[in-house]
Amino acid sequence: MIFVIVFPILAGWLGGWLINYLADTLPLTHRLTRPTCKQCGREYSAGVYLSFRPCRNCGHRRGLRPWFVQAAMMAIGLYTWFNPHRMGYALGMVLITYYAVVVVIDMEHRLILHPTSIAGALLGLGLGTWLHGLLPTLEGGLGGLVIMLVLYYFGMLFAKLRAKRMQESGQESDDEEALGAGDVILAGVLGLILGWPVIWFGLLLGILLGGIAGILLILYLMAAKKYGKEALMVFMPYGPFFIASAFFIMFVPNWIIAVIPK
Ligand SMILES: [Zn+2]
């Protein structure tokens, strides 16, 4: 009986370790290197690293992220264990681990890395083909890319017009970009995973979630009277919202799939 709970908690913990490790190394070296201290650059010993203790050399603390990731993954590990989905438990946890790596790196570095995109595309191609067949998977990937590419160029056009107007009024222009190229690639990867036509709904839900978060952020900044030019330049990473949307569609109840128009 106890095994029923121990197994998913253990699976979540292992997934959390992997996410923390990839988020610590990939943005710096783009490779699976030994993790090093952010402050002094010394390599961690496995024991110190895996137990999230401070650096032995300079005493630099690891912060709350590792613990947050472990706790979140244990909760998700339990949740998916008791709410089974079509792809099976192990594959689901692999997919969630990939999602979490993208989210953590995007939030900490505002980057969607090519190695994670390539890994995601391979995972998405395999998983999508198994779930929906090859053609809807490829259509989903292409659809995601094209939809986001159109939005991306709209965003660029808007940014250019805005920069021009700011120059005319004598203000210095900034390089604000609502959507990054990484978001476009991520949309393609999620398209492979969700397939056509569900990717439509996935991107729409992601943009909606991002928009709601943006409004809440602006309201908060207004309430805190921090609203100024700086506040307007707050960068919105859309990646985490697309991932949240894809997670919701795949792992939160089957009834949501039933309401998506086919
Ligand atoms: Zn150190």
Side-chain angles (χ1 to χ4, degrees):
M1 179 61 205
I2 193 84
F3 178 78
V4 172
I5 296 183
V6 167
F7 180 75
I9 286 181
L10 210 65
W13 187 269
L14 287 175
W17 261 346
L18 188 59
I19 294 159
N20 278 311
Y21 166 67
L22 293 173
D24 282 336
T25 54
L26 280 183
L28 302 179
T29 61
H30 286 229
R31 243 173 278 150
L32 301 177
T33 45
R34 284 194 69 143
T36 54
C37 170
K38 269 180 197 150
Q39 191 163 285
C40 70
R42 180 77 67 91
E43 274 185 9
Y44 282 109
S45 71
V48 169
Y49 182 74
L50 291 178
S51 56
F52 313 123
R53 273 174 291 170
C55 170
R56 282 249 174 89
N57 187 43
C58 71
H60 178 68
R61 288 175 179 278
R62 299 273 303 280
L64 285 177
R65 186 257 278 164
W67 293 105
F68 181 78
V69 167
Q70 296 301 131
M73 282 304 287
M74 283 194 292
I76 291 174
L78 275 172
Y79 172 81
T80 55
W81 182 256
F82 290 108
N83 295 277
H85 44 88
R86 271 176 72 202
M87 74 197 102
Y89 187 71
L91 207 50
M93 287 301 281
V94 170
L95 182 62
I96 289 166
T97 298
Y98 161 73
Y99 282 166
V101 170
V102 174
V103 168
V104 173
I105 294 176
D106 197 11
M107 288 177 80
E108 290 183 350
H109 301 271
R110 293 173 178 181
L111 260 181
I112 294 177
L113 299 169
H114 291 312
T116 56
S117 294
I118 293 165
L122 292 174
L123 179 67
L125 194 62
L127 189 64
T129 305
W130 181 53
L131 288 175
H132 341 278
L134 184 60
L135 195 61
T137 299
L138 294 177
E139 285 171 342
L142 192 66
L145 271 181
V146 170
I147 294 167
M148 286 306 287
L149 213 55
V150 170
L151 290 175
Y152 178 65
Y153 281 113
F154 262 113
M156 295 257 281
L157 194 71
F158 177 74
K160 265 188 194 150
L161 286 174
R162 185 167 167 275
K164 205 175 157 195
R165 192 169 297 171
M166 284 174 86
Q167 268 179 353
E168 281 168 2
S169 63
Q171 283 174 291
E172 256 178 63
S173 69
D174 50 63
D175 307 320
E176 193 187 15
E177 210 177 325
L179 286 163
D183 289 320
V184 176
I185 296 171
L186 179 64
V189 170
L190 294 179
L192 293 171
I193 295 169
L194 295 176
W196 188 265
V198 181
I199 183 61
W200 256 115
F201 180 75
L203 293 179
L204 202 69
L205 184 64
I207 290 170
L208 211 69
L209 290 175
I212 292 170
I215 290 169
L216 289 177
L217 183 67
I218 288 173
L219 286 178
Y220 162 76
L221 291 171
M222 279 168 79
K225 298 206 192 302
K226 285 183 192 160
Y227 200 68
K229 188 164 174 288
E230 295 77 31
L232 279 172
M233 281 158 57
V234 170
F235 178 91
M236 281 286 292
Y238 268 92
F241 297 103
F242 288 140
I243 300 255
S245 160
F247 175 82
F248 189 74
I249 289 173
M250 298 194 87
F251 294 98
V252 183
N254 299 322
W255 57 261
I256 193 90
I257 300 286
V259 300
I260 302 169
K262 286 255 153 103

